[in-house]
């Protein structure tokens, strides 16, 4: 039987659209002392590699992404997917918790100052689809990683955090991510939260956070 089409977009599609807009708006690093003269993005949870492929396409030829995961199975799946798309050359796969992303990026790219220079950082939380759910993201490390990501993001850049609550600790993680986003300064961040208020179980939430240009430097002053 054919699946019935729905009109409202999936949260993943909305996240991808928001991130694509950040790239279209050219919220890109400009080059200069230690600053990468190419677009840079971070996949905070590599998983099966769908976001890594998306980000690798967004940064384009000459751009670079770092994709983090704690599981070798996830990195292997991501590597295969990127290789099949001919995009592996644009990606550094990092077996490390995303909470260590600043340390790991400094280790991998010692000549680059990436703080405030990253165009997009995507989190897709929960467990590796198809796995036994033994390894999942967790509120304390997720919040530490979101803090790190907020320091790395460029003005005009977009951070997305897609939360799934259908696993142990999922509801706690959802509350923590929502509280984290609510604490961002409205002068510095535009934040959206999209969820499914009519779902009591297994709800998903998407947090989108755009780092704003300082007053007087947006609009015409945008890169
Ligand atoms: C829902 S999956 C990600 C899906 C992925 N974005 C994709 O496009 O297929 C969540 C992933 O987070 C990983 N993970 C769990 N804890 C992590 C951590 N502290 N740092 C980085 N990744 C983590 C899991 O191993 C799992 O692969």
């Amino acid at each position: 039987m054919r699946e019935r089409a729905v009109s409202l977009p999936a949260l993943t599609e909305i996240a991808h659209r928001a991130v694509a807009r950040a790239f279209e708006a050219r919220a890109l690093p400009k080059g200069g002392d230690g600053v990468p003269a190419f677009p840079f993005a971070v996949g905070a949870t590599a998983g099966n590699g769908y976001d890594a492929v998306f980000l690798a396409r967004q940064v384009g030829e000459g751009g670079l992404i770092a994709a983090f995961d704690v599981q070798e199975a996830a990195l292997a799946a991501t590597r295969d997917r990127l290789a099949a798309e001919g995009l592996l050359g644009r990606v550094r796969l990092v077996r490390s918790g995303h909470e260590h992303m600043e340390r790991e990026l400094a280790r991998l790219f010692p000549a680059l100052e990436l703080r405030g220079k990253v165009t997009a950082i995507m989190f897709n939380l929960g467990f590796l689809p198809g796995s036994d759910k033994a390894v999942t993201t967790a509120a304390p490390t997720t919040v530490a990683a979101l803090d790190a990501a907020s320091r790395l993001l460029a003005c005009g850049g977009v951070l997305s955090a897609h939360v799934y609550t259908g696993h142990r600790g999922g509801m706690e993680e959802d509350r923590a991510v929502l509280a984290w986003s609510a604490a961002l300064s409205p002068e510095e961040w535009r934040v959206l939260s999209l969820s499914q208020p009519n779902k009591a179980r297994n709800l998903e939430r998407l947090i989108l956070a755009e780092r704003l240009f300082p007053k007087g430097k947006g609009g015409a002053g945008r890169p």
Side-chain angles (χ1 to χ4, degrees):
M1 204 165 67
R2 269 182 59 206
E3 217 176 281
R4 262 183 58 211
V6 292
S7 299
L8 290 179
L11 295 187
T12 309
E13 190 183 336
I14 296 173
H16 283 191
R17 186 71 199 115
V19 166
R21 280 171 65 95
F23 282 97
E24 283 161 19
R26 301 184 59 75
L28 306 178
K30 286 280 196 204
D33 270 356
V35 175
F38 48 79
F40 198 100
V42 173
T45 49
N48 283 318
Y50 293 103
D51 286 339
V53 165
F54 166 76
L55 287 172
R57 290 214 172 96
Q58 292 299 313
V59 295
E61 225 173 307
L64 206 52
I65 85 163
F68 290 81
D69 208 291
V70 289
Q71 296 193 76
E72 188 47 45
L75 294 174
T78 300
R79 189 178 297 113
D80 288 351
R81 199 170 297 284
L82 287 162
E85 301 288 337
L87 295 167
L88 198 50
R90 300 180 191 177
V91 182
R92 297 292 174 276
L93 296 168
V94 194
R95 184 162 183 195
S96 166
H98 42 213
E99 62 277 19
H100 306 303
M101 70 171 76
E102 285 172 305
R103 182 191 75 196
E104 290 300 310
L105 291 175
R107 184 179 65 79
L108 284 167
F109 308 103
L112 298 182
E113 172 51 65
L114 287 169
R115 186 178 272 224
K117 305 295 182 305
V118 178
T119 303
I121 305 180
M122 298 188 75
F123 291 78
N124 197 284
L125 301 166
F127 56 88
L128 179 64
S131 75
D132 62 2
K133 305 190 187 181
V135 179
T136 69
T137 54
T141 42
T142 297
V143 167
L146 289 168
D147 280 340
S150 69
R151 293 186 285 267
L152 290 165
L153 204 68
C155 292
V158 166
L159 183 160
S160 73
H162 192 156
V163 186
Y164 300 84
T165 58
H167 61 92
R168 196 204 294 246
M171 291 300 284
E172 182 195 348
E173 190 171 32
D174 179 51
R175 282 191 295 274
V177 172
L178 187 60
W180 176 85
S181 71
L184 292 171
S185 154
E187 275 77 45
E188 291 173 44
W189 295 87
R190 175 168 151 75
V191 181
L192 299 178
S193 165
L194 290 150
S195 68
Q196 301 158 310
N198 59 346
K199 268 190 101 177
R201 285 157 52 91
N202 296 344
L203 73 79
E204 292 172 48
R205 183 189 306 280
L206 176 64
I207 296 289
L208 294 169
E210 175 176 359
R211 188 169 183 184
L212 301 173
F213 285 88
K215 277 211 168 65
K217 293 201 176 157
R222 265 179 106 97

